[in-house]
Each structure stands twice: as structure tokens, then as C-alpha cells.
Amino acid sequence: MAANVIPERIAEALRRFPPFSMLPEADVRALAAEATVRVMVAGERVWKQGDAPGNELLFLARGRVEYVWQVEERSELVDVRDVGDVLGLTALLKAEPMRVTAQVVEDSVLFGLPWLPLKALLEVHDAARNYARRHLFWATRVGGVVALPEPTEDTIAGRAKNILQAHLDGAQTIQPRPGVNILTCTPEDSIHSAASLMAARRLPSILVIDSERRPIGIVTNGTLVQEVVVGSVSKDDPVKRIMVSPVVTVSAGSSATAALLVMLRRRIGQVCVTADGTTNSPVLDICSEKDLLAQSGHHPAGLLREFRNARSPARFRELCDDVEKIARSYLEAGVSAIFLGQMCAELYDEMVQRLLVLTAEELAEAGTPLPKVSWAWMSVGSDGRREQILRTDMDNALVFASSGVTDQDEQTRKALLGLASRVVAKLVDAGFARCQGGVMASNPRWCRTTSEWIEEMESLNAHTDGDELLRALVLYDMRFVAGDAVVADIVRKSVIDSFARNNELQHRLAELIVDTAPPLNFFGRWVVEKLGGRQEGFDIKQRGMAPLRDAARLLTIHHGLTQRHSTGGRWDELRRNVPRLHELAPLARDSYDVLLRLRTLNGLRRGDSGRYIDPASLTKLERAQVANIFDVVRMVQDSVKLEFSLAHRA
Amino acid sequence: MSWFSHPKLPAPVQAYVDATPKRIGGKRPVEDLHFLVIDAETTGFNVQTDKILSIAAIHTEHGQILLGRSKSWLVFQDHVAVNEAVRVHGILPSDTKNGQPESQVMEELLPELHGTILVGHHVGFDAALLDVALYRRFGIHLRNPILDTASLAMQAIDAFARTGYANQRPPSLDEVCAHCGIAMMDRHTAAGDAYTTAELFLLLCARLRQRKKRAIVAGDLPLTSV
């Protein structure tokens, strides 16, 4: 009998989609060999709500099936199954009747796969099982109770190797710095003069060269200590008496990482770069560990140093471009967007501090020094939550100590606004967009005294209008960046207090969270909505991230957990401190992480904020992931409803 | 066993005869019937002289294709010429050397035929060749009722409906599949064409079901015999 190609074709079709893409090829082929195939046309039903699950899992090879839930005399569209989706998994896994009716809306080809062997496979293969388990979440749409998996702490450890990978991928070659002034001397120079040069330039070593600039030896701090301080060599002797020779050399254009390894292995602090990589050609540059670290695939530590030394607007822009490059390579390597946000916040904070110092110097030189008043520069909004990875929108504010005299405060404000508008202009030069809502320290509304902020926060109540409420929420997510931390803390305490003691206000925030209805799923370019509508393009920020972000803020306020600034941190805190949220909080955190990552990558691709996603650009796995996240959003909303006893809404 | 059947049939052949009625009651629900979708690649298009090079058989029961029971064979044939047919299916004389003798293939195929309705696209020709091969091996004729998906398509899909135009020819497998949006699997291999035909057959049944607004019965299908 000839080898049968059909099961092979079926296996190929299956393996393009999860969970089959997560199972060994041979096992999928074995499933395919026992598969059944059925064809149904639009208008037919695959099964009715209440039917028993049978012994096969269905895979939609072609067509489209809608899940309709009959509840209390009405029927509601709860999900759409598209090519590559599985049907009936929940009922099979839980051995319970079908919760919905599966209605064929486009002529469909369904593969039936034997459930028992598939179930056995899912039990052994972790990734596929996790996929299947997450798949169960959709049942919450039809009143199902889902057992949430016990949270694990593997998110960080599992990703460590990927960070290394990102470095190796981004690793650069050694580029001699053009025009760099290398510290050199001749072998006949005295040790004292060589050491003086090192001290004057604050460099740890000096290169000894011949008349054709070829390296013949090196003198380092270590050599000086060993030979002159501890040993008996006179500092008036020529350097050739103590220089270390031969010099370790690498060629220009070789791997920076490899050079680092050479230094580690030979226990030396610097390598010499020459044209041909030997001591027979003139020296081009000398690189220390730190120089190489900064070059060996953009290392954030290297960038931090660069920010500290940068001066010109062009340089800041270049460095911010580098931050984005790192962000992209980290995200593509699967690094958590929440961690990445924390990292970018450190780098951008360093830059803002540097810009403030430079600007203060400029003002002093221009004869208008800053008044001697305590002030603090704060990041607010997404920047305050450390979620600003792209330079889409700056959100910052200033606070300064009130003198108690209005005129004097106005004078101080004027001076600080001068500082802020210069810094904001520099941020714009570095590639940041001005905040559309005017949330910038250069705006008088966001540059206020401690007492003005306190007064505004204390006036918050359940009837505060939407703009004021939004303003308060943006301020709530504040984080001290530079200046005097004491004044920033006064504002922070005031805003937290005003939210914490006001139950009506919290109630109103809860209603806002519950009001956003997450969509059901994606189909092609379309977003499938609960009420049967569809729309093109999808606002991932408003529909997915906002409820998770706002719920994290509100629930931490409600439970008096105010230590953490970021959405991820808030969910962590909720998980640790609120037993009821022990399982849900990590899911919400991961969901937010995935959305933030998706949005950032989308933004990098499209060169904008990335908040509008074209569903067609998502892979099958991403779609499944996002559809799962909508289910988590629903669970979070239910949890908020429960917490604030809100009436059930459709 | 009826009194006029062949007196001394070997057991497997007798079993086939017993299990395979020549006619199917018109009221029997299609859901309960057992179909065998076949496709054969041949040396040419002459029933008298040409032979089967490969054949695939796919069972469908209760409206489902059962892949676990699908089978295909490569048949060894002597003196195969490279002709127009070979250019279509690409089975070269050297390939057929790896096949099994036709008599052995018929022995293996016979139990699959039990009690089934043979389905295929332009199945008449394949069934006729099969009939000749069965007679060569067992001295009996093919008993199974036959269903041509080309005729079924003319009945179930308006675009292919009979027009009364004298030169109208039944639609090809490619035409019907293109119309119904069925992706062809490994075209011009017996297994691929048989699978595609099986999918088409299920789709046509579903269309007919939808058109009649009731479960379909054997009498709704254009059944014929060799």
C-alpha cells in the first residue's frame, strides 16, 4: 500500500496553529492519521447548547463558526471561531455539556481529532497545555467558573537568557573612535612624566609607542603601584623599565564581545586596537572594559554613562534613538515590557536630570539663576508609571515650595516655567512629542506650589468634572525625578489621601472601569464586538490596557497599597496583599505586560504611539493571546463590580 | 444467498456479494449510508485496454470522512507506455515497478467495497476499469451503486444545473472545487483527488440538505450502476 499523503497534509495544516504547533510533529501526524473530516454549510449547527461533547476535538480548517449563547429567552453572540481555531475544547477538558450553540456562518471544513490521545499529549507538553488552559477563560463570557492557575515566579528567570541573547544579537564590532586622543609616550620618557600625564587625563593607562606609533608596551595604574610604589624602581627611570610588553591587540572591526572576553581571560583592563590586529601596525584606539561594554550590543549601562556626559541636543537625540533600538531588540527577544519600561524610565530620568543641570547652568550664565526655592520635577501619567518606552508623549509636572506670599510665588513660578520650557524644548529636540493634553511642567497648570496642589486635590469629590478627574488621575501616577524629593512627597501624600478617603470618588472610578466593554475576538481585519457589530482597527490602549491600568490603580487605592507606581507593581502588590486577588492579579499583570509589549512593537513598526492595532497584522498566537486577555479584562471588571457592589451590566 | 448466484465463489468474494446489495432503498437516510470515495490514475482512457496505476479509497460514514480507514495503492503494471495520461498524473513506468500486482491490490480492495456506494468525480470510468479488474481477478462484476459527484454538483449547485443545451458537459473537479472554494490537495494523485472529491461530496450533500430543508435520502442522489 502506498504511503498516504492525506494525513500528512492534515498534519501540516494543524501544525500551523496552536496548540498543535507546540506538539511534536510525529504526534500530530499520528493524530491526523486518525482524524475525521466533516463539511458543513452556512446555517447548519455544529452542536447545540447542552449537547454532550463527544470524543473528538474539532479543528476549523476552513470557514467560520459563531458561538451563540442562549440565556433567559435571548441569544447573544459570545465568540467567533476562525480558521485554525479549535472547537469544543472546554467541554472536553471539563467533561461537561456544550455551553453554547456553534452556528456555521461560512461553509466550513472541520477536522475531528481523537480526544483521548490528544488529551494525553496535552498532559505531557507544557506549552500546549498552558495554551489549552488559557483557552478555557472564554467560558467566563457565558457564566462559567474558571479555575485560575496558581501564579508562578518564572517570568523573570525564564527571560534572563533572552536578555543575553539580545545583547549578542545586537553585538557590535570594534569601531576605533575617530580623532580620539590616545595617551602615549615613548619608551625613553620618565616614569614620572608618564604618570603625570595619566593623572592629568585621569586615565588608568598610558600606551608606549615607537616612532611609527606602533604599540610596544603599556603602563597601567597597577604597574605603577607594583613597580614604583611597592617595588624599588625610581620614578625617574624610563618607562621601558616597567612597561608591560607585548601589548594585547585586536583589529578594528572585530567583535567587541570577543575583545571583552580576551580581556577577561587575560585579566587586563584594556586592549589596543590596531589596523591589522598585531603590534606591527600603528595604534588606532585603546579600549577599556567600559568602552567595550558600551559597544558590545547597546548595553543600558553604557547608555547611562553616555547620558551623563552628553551635552548637545543632537547627542541626546542619538542616545534616545539607541534606547529605542535596545527596546526593540529586547522586546523582540521576549523581554517583559514592564521590565523594559522600568529600564527606559531609569535612562530617561538620567537624561532629564542632566538636561535640568545643563539648563540651570545656562540660566545662571545668562544672569537669571534659579530662585533659591525647593522644587521637584515629577513624571506623571504613563511616564510616572514607568511605562514610557517610546518617545510618544511626555508627561511631567513641577512642584515648588510655597512662600506664603502670592507675588513671590508668581515670581518663582515664572522662573521655573522658564527652566521647564527650556527643558521641554530640549526633550522635543531629543525626539519626544509635546503632550497633547498639555501635561508638561512648562504649562502653568502643571507648575504649582505645594499648597496649590494640595488645595486642588482636597477639592476633589464625586462631582468633579471629567477633565479635573483625569488631571487628578494623571497626577496620582506621579514619580519624583529630580530636584527636592521632599516637596514631591508632599504632593504625592496629598493626592493619595484625597483618593483614599473619598469612597464616592472611588465608586465613580469603578464605574468608569466597568463601562468599557472588551471585544470578543478578531476575525480577519475585523474586531468582533459583543453586540454583533464589527469595526476595523482596534484601540488596544483604550479597550485593553486602560481597564487593567485603572483597576490596578483603583484597587490599590481601595486596599491602601500605595507603595508602587507602575501598573505591574500594583498588581504584584495586590497579589501579595489581597487574598481574593491572589490568582487574578498575576494574570492581569501578565496581560498588561503583553498588551504593552504588543503596543510598543506596533508603535516601533508604525512610528507612532502604536495604540491602534490592525487585527490582521497579528499572528494566530497573538490573536489567541489577545482574545484571552479580553477575558482577563472581563474578570478584572467583574472583580471591580464585586468590590464596589456595582449592579451587573451587560 | 440467492439460488442464481455463482455456485462456488471463494469466501472473500462471497462475503462481498452478500454484503453489497445492488440497489439501495430510496428512503434510506444518506446519514446512515456508507460511501467509498475512490479515485484512480490510469494508463489511459480506454476501458478495454487501459489499466489502473494507482487507486485510493476513502470511507465516509455518518457524514464524516474517516481518515484512519483511508487507503491507497500503487499498482504494478507491465508494458506501460509514456503517454498523455502519464503527463497528467506523473506516474512513470519506473514508479509502477514499486507497486503491488493488480491481483493483490484487488484482494485488498475487495473488503473495502463491502456494502458501500462508490463515489467519485467522473466515477463511471474508474468504476468500469475496476469492474474489468475485478472480473480479471475474481470473475465477478462490480455490484456497488455508483454516485458521480459531477452529476451531484449539477443537481445541488445552480451554476452547474442542467440547461438542456445538447453539448453541455458535466463540470470538471477543478471547476466545481473552484466554485465551492475547496482547496485541491495534491492534484492528480489518487489519494489527493480522492480526498478532494470526498470533501466535495460532503459539501454537495450539505448543500442539497440545505436546499431541501430536510435530511436527504438515497432517492435524492443520482445513483447509477456499472
Side-chain angles (χ1 to χ4, degrees):
Chain A
M1 196 164 71
N4 203 336
V5 294
I6 305 307
E8 233 160 90
R9 293 288 175 272
I10 305 264
E12 278 167 23
L14 290 174
R15 275 180 49 83
R16 284 172 44 223
F17 300 102
F20 307 102
S21 56
M22 300 157 173
L23 294 171
E25 203 178 331
D27 291 328
V28 176
R29 226 180 288 143
L31 282 176
E34 293 303 317
T36 62
V37 181
R38 63 202 83 182
V39 179
M40 309 194 89
V41 292
E44 295 191 294
R45 274 195 306 239
V46 186
W47 63 66
K48 271 207 321 274
Q49 188 170 328
D51 281 358
N55 54 9
E56 281 180 327
L57 178 71
L58 297 183
F59 171 89
L60 190 58
R62 205 173 59 242
R64 186 155 58 100
V65 173
E66 289 181 352
Y67 281 5
V68 179
W69 184 35
Q70 302 285 340
V71 56
E72 297 162 6
E73 305 291 302
R74 68 197 163 93
S75 58
E76 193 180 292
L77 173 67
V78 292
D79 205 354
V80 174
R81 293 292 145 110
D82 190 3
V83 172
D85 281 328
V86 291
L87 285 79
L89 183 57
T90 307
L92 284 165
L93 273 172
K94 303 176 105 179
E96 60 175 29
M98 299 297 179
R99 289 180 167 274
V100 291
T101 296
Q103 193 84 40
V104 178
V105 285
E106 267 170 28
D107 294 0
S108 297
V109 176
L110 296 147
F111 298 157
L113 304 169
W115 171 240
L116 286 179
L118 179 56
K119 189 178 171 203
L121 284 174
L122 289 178
E123 274 157 18
V124 204
H125 297 280
D126 296 349
R129 183 177 57 253
N130 285 335
Y131 175 85
R133 193 187 284 164
R134 293 206 135 226
H135 179 98
L136 296 180
F137 290 176
W138 81 271
T140 56
R141 298 174 191 184
V142 290
V145 177
V146 176
L148 300 179
E150 189 67 12
T152 56
E153 300 275 0
D154 64 348
T155 35
I156 304 165
R159 279 163 181 157
K161 67 170 187 288
N162 291 330
I163 297 179
L164 180 61
Q165 192 62 45
H167 281 296
L168 293 177
D169 289 347
Q172 291 178 349
T173 52
I174 295 178
Q175 304 293 342
R177 294 164 290 185
V180 71
N181 199 356
I182 309 165
L183 190 60
T184 57
C185 64
T186 68
E188 308 306 328
D189 288 343
S190 74
I191 293 171
H192 180 256
S193 67
S196 311
L197 283 173
M198 286 165 64
R201 294 271 302 272
R202 282 191 280 180
L203 287 173
S205 65
I206 187 166
L207 196 65
V208 187
I209 54 171
D210 64 11
S211 55
E212 285 166 54
R213 292 188 65 77
R214 291 180 299 208
I216 51 179
I218 192 164
V219 174
T220 64
N221 281 338
T223 341
L224 288 171
V225 170
Q226 201 178 340
E227 303 289 338
V228 184
V229 181
V230 182
S232 58
V233 180
S234 156
K235 62 182 183 182
D236 296 321
D237 283 347
V239 289
K240 66 181 178 194
R241 268 205 68 187
I242 62 164
M243 72 182 184
V244 178
S245 188
V247 180
V248 177
T249 50
V250 295
S251 67
S254 62
S255 155
T257 310
L260 259 178
L261 295 176
V262 166
M263 287 159 65
L264 280 173
R265 243 184 52 220
R266 300 212 162 185
R267 298 196 172 81
I268 51 173
Q270 56 280 307
V271 285
C272 181
V273 185
T274 61
D276 69 354
T278 72
T279 53
N280 297 324
S281 60
V283 57
L284 296 173
D285 197 357
I286 185 147
C287 290
S288 69
E289 271 174 76
K290 284 174 194 157
D291 298 329
L292 284 176
L293 208 52
Q295 281 190 21
S296 62
H298 331 276
H299 195 284
L303 276 178
L304 197 70
R305 269 160 39 88
E306 297 291 324
F307 270 124
R308 226 170 259 168
N309 297 328
R311 255 181 188 282
S312 72
R315 183 67 186 139
F316 282 112
R317 182 168 201 125
E318 221 170 67
L319 290 172
C320 289
D321 289 345
D322 279 351
V323 173
E324 262 184 24
K325 253 185 253 162
I326 295 189
R328 182 195 284 260
S329 66
Y330 276 29
L331 284 176
E332 281 165 357
V335 169
S336 147
I338 290 176
F339 290 128
L340 191 60
Q342 291 167 354
M343 210 181 77
C344 289
E346 291 304 323
L347 292 171
Y348 290 144
D349 283 4
E350 186 69 34
M351 177 174 71
V352 171
Q353 277 169 15
R354 175 77 180 152
L355 290 176
L356 282 164
V357 169
L358 289 176
T359 311
E361 281 172 11
E362 277 169 30
L363 289 171
E365 278 166 25
T368 49
L370 291 176
K372 298 230 170 299
V373 153
S374 293
W375 55 268
W377 181 282
M378 308 176 294
S379 280
V380 295
S382 67
D383 199 1
R385 291 190 307 272
R386 294 194 170 92
E387 285 158 14
Q388 185 106 46
I389 298 170
L390 303 174
R391 283 167 286 176
T392 43
D393 211 2
M394 64 175 97
D395 292 322
N396 45 50
L398 263 176
V399 56
F400 57 98
S402 170
S403 64
V405 184
T406 319
D407 282 357
Q408 202 180 330
D409 281 351
E410 285 311 318
Q411 294 247 318
T412 312
R413 194 194 321 274
K414 208 175 146 211
L416 288 174
L417 284 173
L419 171 79
S421 46
R422 280 165 183 254
V423 170
V424 165
K426 286 186 169 115
L427 284 170
V428 171
D429 283 344
F432 283 87
R434 284 175 191 277
C435 177
Q436 299 290 313
V439 185
M440 290 181 292
S442 57
N443 176 349
R445 284 193 73 205
W446 289 94
C447 176
R448 314 192 110 190
T449 66
T450 41
S451 41
E452 282 167 344
W453 280 125
I454 292 169
E455 196 183 324
E456 183 180 339
M457 289 306 119
E458 282 179 346
S459 71
L460 280 181
N461 60 54
H463 310 292
T464 306
D465 77 41
D467 272 358
E468 289 299 311
L469 190 59
L470 184 66
R471 183 173 151 84
L473 289 176
V474 168
L475 188 69
Y476 184 89
D477 291 336
M478 64 168 275
R479 175 168 61 84
F480 165 74
V481 174
D484 185 352
V486 176
V487 281
D489 278 347
I490 295 171
V491 177
R492 179 162 157 77
K493 192 172 173 316
S494 151
V495 59
I496 288 172
D497 285 351
S498 57
F499 276 102
R501 62 163 180 260
N502 195 331
N503 284 331
E504 279 187 336
L505 191 58
Q506 290 178 23
H507 206 269
R508 191 163 154 211
L509 293 178
E511 282 174 351
L512 289 176
I513 293 165
V514 173
D515 274 348
T516 340
L520 296 173
N521 211 335
F522 296 128
F523 166 67
R525 306 182 62 84
W526 302 96
V527 183
V528 184
E529 304 286 353
K530 194 168 182 178
L531 296 171
R534 295 183 201 158
Q535 65 174 67
E536 212 164 336
F538 178 69
D539 185 348
I540 195 174
K541 184 178 168 191
Q542 195 245 325
R543 305 289 301 281
M545 298 173 72
L548 292 173
R549 173 196 72 203
D550 295 346
R553 190 194 294 117
L554 177 62
L555 290 170
T556 45
I557 293 172
H558 194 64
H559 291 279
L561 307 165
T562 53
Q563 291 306 303
R564 306 291 291 268
H565 292 89
S566 72
T567 303
R570 284 173 181 158
W571 283 118
D572 278 344
E573 224 172 9
L574 288 166
R575 170 173 66 98
R576 276 195 296 272
N577 297 301
V578 184
R580 197 171 59 74
L581 294 172
H582 182 67
E583 284 94 15
L584 183 57
L587 282 175
R589 180 194 188 282
D590 287 354
S591 301
Y592 193 75
D593 199 0
V594 171
L595 292 179
L596 187 59
R597 183 156 162 256
L598 213 56
R599 177 188 156 195
T600 310
L601 280 171
N602 188 44
L604 284 168
R605 233 177 349 247
R606 299 171 37 150
D608 61 13
S609 75
R611 70 186 282 187
Y612 293 98
I613 294 244
D614 173 6
S617 73
L618 300 178
T619 65
K620 188 80 201 172
L621 193 56
E622 283 170 335
R623 281 178 195 212
Q625 215 170 15
V626 173
N628 271 322
I629 285 172
F630 298 144
D631 291 327
V632 174
V633 170
R634 265 178 221 104
M635 290 185 231
V636 166
Q637 288 177 325
D638 287 345
S639 168
V640 169
K641 277 180 206 162
L642 193 71
E643 191 95 41
F644 293 90
S645 337
L646 299 181
H648 182 84
R649 295 154 193 254
Chain B
M1 199 195 302
S2 35
W3 62 270
F4 53 80
S5 65
H6 207 283
K8 278 178 276 170
L9 284 177
V13 182
Q14 190 60 56
Y16 165 69
V17 172
D18 292 346
T20 316
K22 287 192 168 181
R23 300 212 188 290
I24 303 283
K27 293 202 171 135
R28 289 188 59 191
V30 166
E31 182 76 359
D32 296 347
L33 298 176
H34 183 173
F35 297 88
L36 189 70
V37 185
I38 59 161
D39 186 79
E41 305 298 330
T42 61
T43 57
F45 306 104
N46 184 323
V47 176
Q48 299 312 316
T49 56
D50 282 311
K51 289 180 177 164
I52 296 173
L53 287 176
S54 71
I55 185 164
I58 294 178
H59 291 271
T60 85
E61 268 181 299
H62 309 299
Q64 294 176 21
I65 298 171
L66 308 174
L67 285 182
R69 285 176 57 194
S70 71
K71 291 195 171 128
S72 69
W73 296 266
L74 196 60
V75 187
F76 169 73
Q77 301 285 8
D78 242 346
H79 313 299
V80 177
V82 177
N83 58 16
E84 213 37 52
V86 172
R87 260 184 273 284
V88 172
H89 53 62
I91 301 174
L92 295 170
S94 55
D95 295 331
T96 158
K97 297 247 161 35
N98 301 321
Q100 298 165 259
E102 187 189 271
S103 58
Q104 194 186 331
V105 171
M106 288 306 125
E107 283 163 23
E108 288 181 21
L109 180 63
L110 193 65
E112 308 293 332
L113 294 172
H114 282 203
T116 66
I117 298 170
L118 282 190
V119 180
H121 206 77
H122 303 314
V123 71
F125 179 70
D126 293 3
L129 278 188
L130 195 57
D131 182 56
V132 172
L134 281 180
Y135 194 80
R136 236 187 332 258
R137 174 64 187 85
F138 302 116
I140 57 155
H141 286 285
L142 186 69
R143 298 173 58 84
N144 306 58
I146 291 169
L147 174 63
D148 188 345
T149 44
S151 315
L152 188 59
M154 293 168 90
Q155 206 165 310
I157 300 175
D158 287 333
F160 302 118
R162 264 175 229 289
T163 55
Y165 171 54
N167 283 339
Q168 187 189 16
R169 53 175 182 76
S172 71
L173 184 59
D174 300 75
E175 283 167 338
V176 186
C177 286
H179 181 84
C180 299
I182 291 180
M184 307 282 263
M185 199 180 267
D186 290 57
R187 184 77 175 111
H188 297 303
T189 65
D193 283 356
Y195 176 79
T196 307
T197 309
E199 225 184 273
L200 174 64
F201 167 60
L202 292 185
L203 179 74
L204 293 173
C205 286
R207 285 278 168 87
L208 209 57
R209 201 154 64 215
Q210 201 180 29
R211 165 173 290 200
K212 306 233 181 233
K213 297 190 170 57
R214 58 165 168 82
I216 49 173
V217 293
D220 294 324
L221 302 176
L223 297 179
T224 56
S225 55
V226 182

